[in-house]
Amino acid sequence: MKIRRESIPPVALSLTIVAIATAGVAYSPTLYRMFCAATGYGGTVSVNRALKPQETDSIGPEITVRFDANISPGLEWDFKPVQRSVQTHSGVPTTVYYRATNTSDHTIVGRATYNVTPDSAGYYFNKTECFCFTEQKLAPGESADMPIVFFIDPEMATDIDTRSIRTITLSYTFFRQDSSEEAIAAAKPLREESEARARELATAETAEFSNRTPHAR
C-alpha cells in the first residue's frame, strides 16, 4: 500500500516553528538573545516595578555600575554624571543623575543615545524613560539635572554568559541637532522636563522600566 504524504502549508509550518522556538528559548536567556538577533523578534520590553525593594523581590549579588558621558564635536555643552559610579544589588532600583549645561550664548538643541557594556549585560539592564532619543533644548547658561532609575535583573546571575559580571557601564552621548528657530520651538525644554520627572519619581511608588535587547539598541 502506498502511503500518501500530506504537505504542510508553508505559512502554517513557519508559524509552528516560530512558536516552538519561542517556547524553547524562553527558558534560556542566552538562547533567547541569539533567537532575537537571528529573527528580529523582541525589542524593547517594559515592566512596572516598585521603586522600593519588596519582601518578595529577588535580590542578587552586588554590582558596580559606572557612568560615562560624552558630547559630539560642535555641541557647546558640559555633560557629566553627578556620580561616577554606584554600588547596588541586582533587583534593587537605584536613582542617579546626569547633568548638562549649555556653555554657549545661544539656545542649542541636543539629542542623546545610550549604550550598556558589556553588551551581554544590556539584556538585564532595565531603566526608566530618560532624556534620550528626543530633541531637547537648553537656553544659554542653563543646566538640567536628569534623573535615571535603573535595576539589574537578578536573572543575570543565572546566565552562563553574564553570571560573572560585577561591573556594568551606562554611557550616554549627546549630539548637536538642528538649532534653527523652528527646531528650537519644537524641541522639549530639558530643564523643565527633568524637574518634572524628578518630582514625579519622588512621590511615585512604582515606575515603568524598559530594556532593549542588545540587537535593538
Side-chain angles (χ1 to χ4, degrees), residues 48 51 95-97 127-131 136 145-150 189-204 206-210:
N48 196 272
L51 291 174
T95 303
V96 297
Y97 283 82
K127 66 181 186 60
T128 54
E129 179 183 357
C130 64
F131 49 88
Q136 310 269 5
D145 286 337
M146 301 160 284
I148 300 168
V149 186
F150 69 87
L190 184 54
R191 181 175 63 82
E192 287 86 345
E193 292 273 326
S194 300
E195 290 176 350
R197 184 60 173 156
R199 288 193 299 269
E200 178 185 340
L201 290 170
T203 58
T206 64
E208 186 175 88
F209 293 81
S210 64

Side-chain angles (χ1 to χ4, degrees), residues 52-173:
K52 294 183 179 180
Q54 306 296 299
E55 291 183 1
T56 57
D57 287 346
S58 175
I59 305 300
E62 186 174 76
I63 304 290
T64 298
V65 181
R66 297 173 178 169
F67 307 104
D68 181 47
N70 306 279
I71 55 173
S72 66
L75 180 60
E76 298 171 88
W77 285 10
D78 180 55
F79 177 50
K80 60 188 177 183
V82 174
Q83 295 173 272
R84 287 294 176 184
S85 66
V86 296
Q87 288 186 313
T88 186
H89 287 268
S90 56
V92 178
T94 304
T95 303
V96 297
Y97 283 82
Y98 275 77
R99 179 175 297 146
T101 301
N102 182 349
T103 58
S104 75
D105 59 0
H106 52 280
T107 299
I108 297 177
V109 177
R111 182 184 177 98
T113 62
Y114 80 94
N115 71 287
V116 176
T117 53
D119 278 350
S120 56
Y123 180 84
Y124 298 100
F125 193 94
N126 302 266
K127 66 181 186 60
T128 54
E129 179 183 357
C130 64
F131 49 88
C132 49
F133 304 122
T134 57
E135 278 67 33
Q136 310 269 5
K137 61 186 175 185
L138 282 175
E142 188 176 39
S143 294
D145 286 337
M146 301 160 284
I148 300 168
V149 186
F150 69 87
F151 78 91
I152 300 159
D153 193 324
E155 287 191 7
M156 187 177 79
T158 67
D159 185 342
I160 190 171
D161 289 339
T162 58
R163 62 190 181 190
S164 63
I165 293 175
R166 292 295 179 268
T167 301
I168 295 174
T169 300
L170 174 63
S171 179
Y172 283 90
T173 301

Side-chain angles (χ1 to χ4, degrees), residues 31-41 213 215:
L31 289 177
Y32 182 76
R33 289 199 308 274
M34 294 170 63
F35 175 68
C36 288
T39 64
Y41 179 84
T213 54
H215 76 283

